[in-house]
Amino acid sequence: MCEGAPAVKRIFDPIHHFIELSTAEARLLDLPVMQRLRRLRQLGLAYLAFPSAEHSRFTHSLGALAMGTRAFDELNRSGRDVFGSPENAAYQRRLVRAALLLHDIGHGPFSHSCESVLEIRHEARTADLIALPDLARGIADLDVDSRDVLDLILGDRQSRYPALRELVSGPNLDADRMDYLLRDAYFTGVSTGRYDAEQLVASLRILERDGKPVIGIDRRGVVALESFIMARYMMFASVYFHHTTRMFEHVLHAVLRDLWHDPRALDPAEEFLRWDDFRVLGALDGKQSEAADALRNRVRIYALAAEFNAERDLHAFEACDAALRARFGDENVWADTQAQLLHRLPFGLGGETTVWVDGPAGAVDAREVSDLIAKLSGKAYWRKLFVRRANSNPRDARRLCAETLAARPLASSD
Amino acid sequence: MCEGAPAVKRIFDPIHHFIELSTAEARLLDLPVMQRLRRLRQLGLAYLAFPSAEHSRFTHSLGALAMGTRAFDELNRSGRDVFGSPENAAYQRRLVRAALLLHDIGHGPFSHSCESVLEIRHEARTADLIALPDLARGIADLDVDSRDVLDLILGDRQSRYPALRELVSGPNLDADRMDYLLRDAYFTGVSTGRYDAEQLVASLRILERDGKPVIGIDRRGVVALESFIMARYMMFASVYFHHTTRMFEHVLHAVLRDLWHDPRALDPAEEFLRWDDFRVLGALDGKQSEAADALRNRVRIYALAAEFNAERDLHAFEACDAALRARFGDENVWADTQAQLLHRLPFGLGGETTVWVDGPAGAVDAREVSDLIAKLSGKAYWRKLFVRRANSNPRDARRLCAETLAARPLASSD
Amino acid sequence: MCEGAPAVKRIFDPIHHFIELSTAEARLLDLPVMQRLRRLRQLGLAYLAFPSAEHSRFTHSLGALAMGTRAFDELNRSGRDVFGSPENAAYQRRLVRAALLLHDIGHGPFSHSCESVLEIRHEARTADLIALPDLARGIADLDVDSRDVLDLILGDRQSRYPALRELVSGPNLDADRMDYLLRDAYFTGVSTGRYDAEQLVASLRILERDGKPVIGIDRRGVVALESFIMARYMMFASVYFHHTTRMFEHVLHAVLRDLWHDPRALDPAEEFLRWDDFRVLGALDGKQSEAADALRNRVRIYALAAEFNAERDLHAFEACDAALRARFGDENVWADTQAQLLHRLPFGLGGETTVWVDGPAGAVDAREVSDLIAKLSGKAYWRKLFVRRANSNPRDARRLCAETLAARPLASSD
Amino acid sequence: MCEGAPAVKRIFDPIHHFIELSTAEARLLDLPVMQRLRRLRQLGLAYLAFPSAEHSRFTHSLGALAMGTRAFDELNRSGRDVFGSPENAAYQRRLVRAALLLHDIGHGPFSHSCESVLEIRHEARTADLIALPDLARGIADLDVDSRDVLDLILGDRQSRYPALRELVSGPNLDADRMDYLLRDAYFTGVSTGRYDAEQLVASLRILERDGKPVIGIDRRGVVALESFIMARYMMFASVYFHHTTRMFEHVLHAVLRDLWHDPRALDPAEEFLRWDDFRVLGALDGKQSEAADALRNRVRIYALAAEFNAERDLHAFEACDAALRARFGDENVWADTQAQLLHRLPFGLGGETTVWVDGPAGAVDAREVSDLIAKLSGKAYWRKLFVRRANSNPRDARRLCAETLAARPLASSD
């Protein structure tokens, strides 16, 4: 009645079901640097708007590995020798799995907020961490070169494996995004974030563009790509830019700046690794600070006064912003333009970063093939105005915005 | 150990779970005119492309009733007295349920194909059928006026209940569409057809526009409306205009014309009611006809040569069409422009048919509020070229299209 | 912009997502003998109780192929050389797929009812049909021996491939059942019919028992096997033995006996193939028969008077049966003992037909390893009493049963 | 373009979709004592076996409120005046919601482990916490009596509302369990934990038993009750008693005993409220303790040597236990008999705690009506033997168990 020892480790996941790891990968996963990811939430403070968004970067890292493996295996069987000899292909498979498993280790607590306070990008951290003895040994045990791993994670243009680099850190068809959209949709319960992952993965192809290999899709995958782009939009609109999330991220920024007076405080890797979301929340306990209390106990310091989703609303946004500041004072108004987040927008398919579609006469820009993708290209806007509850009346603020808008010519004729 | 008699009938449905019917509604449902809907498939021939799309108009009619009831109840609780006195509201609730239960009874076999052959619209049939003694009695038992029911189904502008009319037969926020998108997505397995029905229904509001009540949404429902419009697009792109479906619909047209030489053959209601999808398929058995055999046994008479999804592809489409006809002859080429289906397109939000959004200064066009909806408004295109397999080589046809395209200036510079 | 020709055909299915077919398999699928399965419903008349149970044996046949392939591939990778040389394994993979695709072709309209009227089992039909020229050629094109295919479908003890025979027609771990439980649960919406298919398939192993290979599971699969056995139970309790379904099956029996006076009428294969569920329903149109009308228009001729689910209820069942017959007459009472269905019961894990579990000292009976499975072994009972509505009052009948039960000593003290 | 202020707060949840709160309930939810539940995981350490089991008691508390409201509303409409006058019913509805929202506030970090170390039950804590000024005020604002709330949470037999007490803290049909089974199944991804909640809730009835009201189900709910009992079993077998979870809980016990030398350390409510799962994990950082390191970084100190799921395995279990101890020493073997958890077992339907089913002659024990429930009643067993990896070889340990078992007469003949 004894349990046999399995040759590989299988981990159960609601998105990918069984995720299989080799013995060496399982050992890597059990290192403290990986286990720490259980204490970083994938969506930071979004759980204050969507209570069930409590999932961690740990499960996402496993999911990215699973998704990247599905993509790799599909590419590998879609054409003859796309990854070279069987040995070369096996190496690249181990490599892309390693890179996806490790791609988030450089994140600090509440990642993006942390980065701007500590003035160091998570990708840069990764280089330091990968050099730590434990991790270096773990990577060596995977039988991959840690330099190759780092190149994929950092998206190094000089990487010897440009197609894998796109799978790990590309701007569109990366396994990172393919996993987190499904995962964030599942854990928030926002079903509109789902896309046709089966068809998208089945359509992946390595195409040629200016003599270099790029990851694209075949013609049958266009509808799946449309669904992927729409899902990105829906998750930004519903979750990532939800006004409650944005408001608490604003508060967090002040809290972190207060917590780490010295932006170099976490430079030593050992110190950095000791910090996670939960330790930050613990450190706020007992602080005599409005912001600390707000974060720990979900005190909504600000109220939403108005929001604007159309590009043409810029003047309306500015007019309301000015009116609110005139009434309540600059210190009681927060205008969230999300300018700093524009690089994460789903529709930035311009220039370098479009998706290529296989065609009879070579690779074609997805915007040529799909009206829908063409229309959804370019920036999207989620501008919001908040007022501080302590020193203003949210109802007054909303009425002021309505009056300001009513006094203007119609937005559409701007 | 005996089972008690329930006061109401509960029917289980994968989309809405329990659907509750009053005793009178359950009796109506058991009339032959309703049971016949079990023999009309909701998606006609789409099962030849998506094998599991075998669901009927019967389950959809129940689902439309369920969805309409959810919408009605939400509207009713969203404001004081939106439906008048409690008695008036109760009447209107019975009425909208009756209309949705009956809204598809006028469909003939393979509905739209049938209509163009028989030169009579399904809505028109409905008037005849509702006057049949059985049904008239069933409707009277529901304690609603059959004239009111008919007005809602036909979308009569003079209906005494304009808001209910929109719920039953409106161009956007109708319970018909709200159910069939979810249902078609479920039964085909095309998950991208799902939208945020919970939020959309919760956002429904009766607004005023030019002094008349219209059904719109409140400001919090904009993202759900975006998801709804995207889901419509995805279902058209993936399922309703799938090339295999379109091809067999083309074949069906010939079959029906052959079956009913006299377009008036089904004018008598009794004769009309005897026909359904399954009887048509039965009637094809033993016919010495290529088309009949094709439909019954899924013989793909045509092969797809090229398809074009962007508006700017019109010239490319015409050039390929001309090249194919020159090579294979007119009788061996079918150009599917879907001109006849443009009225069903999801993005026709122009003029009369936009969605209104509640705002501080009155109802606003959804296109003003959402860049995404503005971008998705207007027509969508799914043009396809087919060649007859018997007299042409599909591979040659595809190569010919590729050469034709390569010889032209780039599509994007048209 | 032309679509490339795919090497294999991919079919979309809500349960298994993409199902891939080779070119020869796709051609086989397009034969009339397979397309006919679209006109046989997987659950016969259950749609009269669960309206959305409209799915066909066609989609189930594809699903069984998909499930069998997953199982085969898992077995193949679970041990060295379980299927012999790579060529042998490839042959067996083609073979098991062919057998599962074809395993239901011998079903007549409403299968089990049809069999008892026509006095011929569907498996026996299969031998005739497989010999038809079209099908013989199609099977030859798959590069498998039609004798081997037939052995698997018929469950021939002499089959050269005993493990595959279990996968196709075994009493427990067959791909047929693994697919239909998931499928019936999905299309009825009865979520309790789902089981842990991922884990069950991942646990499949070829074990040795008395020197012969049998399909069993490894120790880690016991909980999944428990979930599988529970799902079978739930589907029988909720769907397969639902009183409405059972009642209409009873009516159907009379209808079919009336339709085919001569039980040999469908013996010629050509005639047999012309019949399907829809043709039967069509043939009922216009018949002056209570039963025909009941089936076509869901007229509930009988009402449920009492049902009994526990073994110890036998005497109670018999007492109520006697009381009903005394009051309403034999011709107005139908006692459904389901005796003829006992062979389909989920818990008949006795004797030959248990599931074997891998253990350190050889294969062990699942009932040894799991208390739950031991408890669930043996027969299950769903006895029902119905009265004819025309000549009895259902309310009176239920009251009569209640009085009969109240007059008896407590059931538990029987 | 300003957002209107909603009268009620709606929170989105993947299980129940929108959960609506009154303004006073929303204020209660934002109190620190409730927000703290975000830092207690619903499944304690199970995330070390199921990585995605990171959901908190906070979302479960909301879910219990939602499920209890569904149950209450169904009971309320199932019979005339079951909850007395409209005012009384409205009071009881507010009451049951309050009690379910608050039912888990007394849990310490990793609840059950914490309780045994601190020698105080979470229910007892609740009385202290409810008396704190903030919470007392919050409860008063809900317009319910805090004494009534406490009675429901503590399951006080003297409660004025015995039916509500069952809904909150009963042994079977409580909203707590109804929510957590669905929730734990969703967040672990273990789909077999789902049951037919729709039908179960729709079947709830207030019955009479010995002159007192009890919550039971009507006859149509028996299959749903079976599914509920099976789901409980599956979740225990798959998740709650997973060997990895159990092993880390064993380690945790040592850690907590070390952390709180004085079992009275957390007696003051203010100190108690400062502790949560995350603070415990934080407190382990830097500790020079094998157990602390094991928990923080998932070091598996023990390996599973054998497990036994059948009652009859007791002697086998003891024989293996003795053999392991003889070989490796007592300090290197941990025998997990789960004796302390037997009160949580799903099948303890004996005596006081069965489920009653409505019948023509009064309430009947569910075991009378369903063979399945009768069979599943009684205890279930998941006994496990572990060895310490540092001082033993897991492979040797497993082999030793196999040999021990092989040397014994067959388990089944015990």
Side-chain angles (χ1 to χ4, degrees), chain C residues 33-288:
Chain C
V33 72
M34 285 302 301
Q35 294 292 316
R36 170 180 169 270
L37 297 180
R38 297 190 190 261
R39 298 186 291 272
L40 299 182
R41 286 199 168 127
Q42 174 66 16
L43 288 181
L45 293 170
Y47 69 91
L48 293 170
F50 294 86
S52 62
E54 303 177 318
H55 55 301
S56 68
R57 292 190 179 276
F58 184 82
T59 57
H60 162 59
S61 299
L62 279 168
L65 170 146
M67 190 57 101
T69 306
R70 285 168 63 183
F72 182 92
D73 290 348
E74 182 66 33
L75 289 171
N76 196 30
R77 76 176 200 154
S78 71
R80 193 186 307 271
D81 301 332
V82 282
F83 294 116
S85 70
E87 292 73 30
N88 280 349
Y91 178 81
Q92 291 174 66
R93 193 175 193 271
R94 292 198 303 275
L95 176 60
V96 78
R97 287 169 63 89
L100 285 164
L101 200 55
L102 294 165
H103 81 285
D104 267 356
I105 58 171
H107 277 285
F110 304 106
S111 63
H112 301 286
S113 306
C114 171
E115 285 179 11
S116 72
V117 171
L118 295 181
E119 296 164 10
I120 183 164
R121 297 275 325 252
H122 66 90
E123 290 89 350
R125 287 285 185 194
T126 310
D128 295 348
L129 298 177
I130 273 182
L132 294 176
D134 268 15
L135 201 45
R137 204 174 310 118
I139 294 171
D141 284 352
L142 298 177
D143 200 10
V144 296
D145 184 329
S146 68
R147 184 67 239 166
D148 287 340
V149 172
L150 197 59
D151 284 354
L152 298 191
I153 297 177
L154 302 187
D156 192 321
R157 296 265 144 202
Q158 307 306 319
S159 165
R160 297 192 292 154
Y161 304 102
L164 302 192
R165 189 196 62 213
E166 285 188 83
L167 268 190
V168 173
S169 53
N172 286 300
L173 296 174
D174 54 317
D176 180 11
R177 194 180 322 263
M178 288 188 204
D179 180 74
Y180 77 62
L181 285 177
L182 295 179
R183 188 167 302 276
D184 296 345
Y186 188 88
F187 284 97
T188 56
V190 174
S191 61
T192 53
R194 276 181 289 198
Y195 63 92
D196 188 350
E198 295 268 340
Q199 175 80 60
L200 186 66
V201 168
S203 306
L204 293 175
R205 293 292 176 272
I206 295 199
L207 309 178
E208 236 192 72
R209 182 77 201 159
D210 302 331
K212 281 184 235 147
V214 295
I215 290 186
I217 58 169
D218 79 0
R219 190 64 183 74
R220 289 187 295 170
V222 171
V223 173
L225 179 64
E226 293 173 343
S227 82
F228 185 57
I229 289 176
M230 284 178 171
R232 288 167 77 174
Y233 178 88
M234 295 312 299
M235 289 306 285
F236 273 88
S238 304
V239 177
Y240 306 153
F241 287 161
H242 190 278
H243 63 88
T244 304
T245 313
R246 291 295 299 156
M247 188 258 279
F248 280 111
E249 283 174 359
H250 182 62
V251 171
L252 173 68
H253 210 258
V255 165
L256 292 182
R257 214 174 275 284
D258 189 50
L259 193 64
W260 300 314
H261 298 288
D262 176 5
R264 310 244 73 90
L266 269 56
D267 277 7
E270 295 70 28
E271 184 61 19
F272 175 79
L273 288 176
R274 295 190 59 222
W275 283 91
D276 52 49
D277 292 11
F278 301 164
R279 186 166 174 207
V280 169
L281 290 174
L284 304 185
D285 190 22
K287 288 244 173 196
Q288 301 303 324

Side-chain angles (χ1 to χ4, degrees), chain D residues 122-189:
Chain D
H122 66 90
E123 290 89 350
R125 287 284 185 195
T126 310
D128 295 350
L129 298 177
I130 272 182
L132 294 176
D134 268 15
L135 202 44
R137 205 174 309 118
I139 293 171
D141 284 352
L142 297 177
D143 200 10
V144 295
D145 184 328
S146 68
R147 183 67 240 166
D148 286 340
V149 172
L150 197 59
D151 284 354
L152 298 191
I153 296 177
L154 302 188
D156 193 319
R157 296 266 144 200
Q158 307 306 319
S159 166
R160 297 192 292 153
Y161 303 101
L164 302 192
R165 188 195 63 211
E166 285 188 82
L167 269 189
V168 174
S169 54
N172 285 299
L173 295 175
D174 55 317
D176 178 12
R177 195 180 321 264
M178 287 188 206
D179 179 74
Y180 77 61
L181 286 177
L182 294 179
R183 188 167 301 277
D184 296 346
Y186 188 88
F187 284 96
T188 57

